[in-house]
Amino acid sequence: MNKIFIVANWKMNPSTIQEAKFLFDSVLEGIEEIKKVEIVVCPPFIYIPLLQEKDNIKLGAQNAFFEQKGAFTGEISSTMLKNLGCSYVIIGHSERRKIQEEINEVIAKKVKAVLEAGLKPILCIEDVSQLKYSLGDITEEELNNLILAYEPVFAIGTGKPCSIEKAKEMREMIEKELHKSIPILYGGSVNSTNAQPYIKEAGFQGLLIGGASLNSLEFLKIVKSISD
Ligand code: PGA
């Protein structure tokens, strides 16, 4: 069986370094026995240097700029993230598409920059057209280092997850468009009671978890429900 990815997207949480360390350490403690699941924690940028990747827990960022260095006030590059010990970067999350007005062309440049720095992009899409335009001129080889996350906007942070049937249908459509097998995750209102069928029935290779990743007990329950 392929490795399952469970990605924790902390978004703009928590408010203190102490809470961030506590949350990370609580997850770390709880996953000692877990095998075959790659846990990726994506905290706000400023907490990344304080947390450490281990064999069974990797670090990701929630965004990165499309250039590697230079006069870009307020931006963070993939190279910087790589040098801090990150392995993944979420790109094109629907909140950034909407609030920061990130368009597909910008997202495609960001995907490329993440790959150039030697990190893996976790590209979020809500439909097949976003997939096509967010990939830009990515090569077949680069595609091997990409992870996709299907995240329907209606399900994000709403407590209204996508039905398993619809999610499965979308996963199949995405796979057809790609002509290639790469990990596709589901994200949107995942919790410990609804997580398992996205993997076991809808065939996703992992989950992208927002709200439920801020509670270590709930997050660990999700991880355990997948690894059982
Ligand atoms: P949610 O967020 O789990 O809180 O719905 C998912 C996401 O935004 O990636």
Side-chain angles (χ1 to χ4, degrees), residues 95-103 106:
E95 283 151 15
R96 295 198 61 84
R97 289 180 188 263
K98 185 161 177 249
I99 304 164
Q100 275 81 16
E101 298 181 1
E102 272 188 21
I103 54 171
V106 168

Side-chain angles (χ1 to χ4, degrees), residues 62-131:
Q62 299 171 19
N63 178 40
F65 194 54
F66 54 72
E67 296 288 349
Q68 303 297 357
K69 63 176 185 169
F72 304 103
T73 303
E75 297 293 350
I76 302 283
S77 74
S78 297
T79 301
M80 292 172 180
L81 295 168
K82 167 98 177 162
N83 292 338
L84 278 183
C86 260
S87 301
Y88 296 88
V89 186
I90 296 174
I91 295 290
H93 189 279
S94 66
E95 283 151 15
R96 295 198 61 84
R97 289 180 188 263
K98 185 161 177 249
I99 304 164
Q100 275 81 16
E101 298 181 1
E102 272 188 21
I103 54 171
N104 287 322
E105 288 71 16
V106 168
I107 290 164
K109 287 208 262 181
K110 290 187 169 191
V111 166
K112 205 79 181 170
V114 172
L115 289 164
E116 266 167 25
L119 301 176
K120 291 191 182 210
I122 301 169
L123 172 62
C124 300
I125 50 155
E126 99 170 280
D127 54 35
V128 172
S129 114
Q130 277 188 355
L131 169 66

Side-chain angles (χ1 to χ4, degrees), residues 16-207:
T16 66
I17 289 172
Q18 288 78 7
E19 287 170 284
K21 278 190 176 161
F22 183 75
L23 179 55
F24 188 82
D25 289 345
S26 312
V27 172
L28 191 55
E29 252 173 56
I31 55 168
E32 256 167 32
E33 308 285 295
I34 306 283
K35 304 261 179 314
K36 290 197 188 143
V37 178
E38 176 116 321
I39 314 263
V40 183
V41 173
C42 304
F45 289 130
I46 56 163
Y47 299 143
I48 293 172
L50 307 163
L51 309 172
Q52 230 157 42
E53 282 202 348
K54 300 263 155 66
D55 278 353
N56 52 358
I57 189 162
K58 303 290 174 207
L59 283 169
Q62 299 171 19
N63 178 40
F65 194 54
F66 54 72
E67 296 288 349
Q68 303 297 357
K69 63 176 185 169
F72 304 103
T73 303
E75 297 293 350
I76 302 283
S77 74
S78 297
T79 301
M80 292 172 180
L81 295 168
K82 167 98 177 162
N83 292 338
L84 278 183
C86 260
S87 301
Y88 296 88
V89 186
I90 296 174
I91 295 290
H93 189 279
S94 66
E95 283 151 15
R96 295 198 61 84
R97 289 180 188 263
K98 185 161 177 249
I99 304 164
Q100 275 81 16
E101 298 181 1
E102 272 188 21
I103 54 171
N104 287 322
E105 288 71 16
V106 168
I107 290 164
K109 287 208 262 181
K110 290 187 169 191
V111 166
K112 205 79 181 170
V114 172
L115 289 164
E116 266 167 25
L119 301 176
K120 291 191 182 210
I122 301 169
L123 172 62
C124 300
I125 50 155
E126 99 170 280
D127 54 35
V128 172
S129 114
Q130 277 188 355
L131 169 66
K132 257 206 276 208
Y133 296 110
S134 301
L135 285 179
D137 60 356
I138 196 167
T139 64
E140 280 289 304
E141 210 187 314
E142 286 173 325
L143 214 43
N144 292 331
N145 286 318
L146 187 98
I147 294 175
L148 276 176
Y150 166 58
E151 294 216 305
V153 171
F154 66 83
I156 295 179
T158 58
K160 296 186 181 119
C162 183
S163 71
I164 301 300
E165 298 70 35
K166 167 88 182 137
K168 182 168 187 241
E169 201 181 294
M170 279 305 297
R171 183 188 59 72
E172 286 166 354
M173 274 170 74
I174 292 166
E175 262 177 12
K176 212 161 143 202
E177 177 68 30
L178 284 169
H179 308 292
K180 200 173 175 77
S181 170
I182 64 171
I184 306 175
L185 320 184
Y186 167 78
S189 294
V190 173
N191 60 38
S192 60
T193 57
N194 65 20
Q196 206 189 52
Y198 288 105
I199 311 290
K200 306 239 155 118
E201 290 170 37
F204 285 90
Q205 214 183 308
L207 300 164

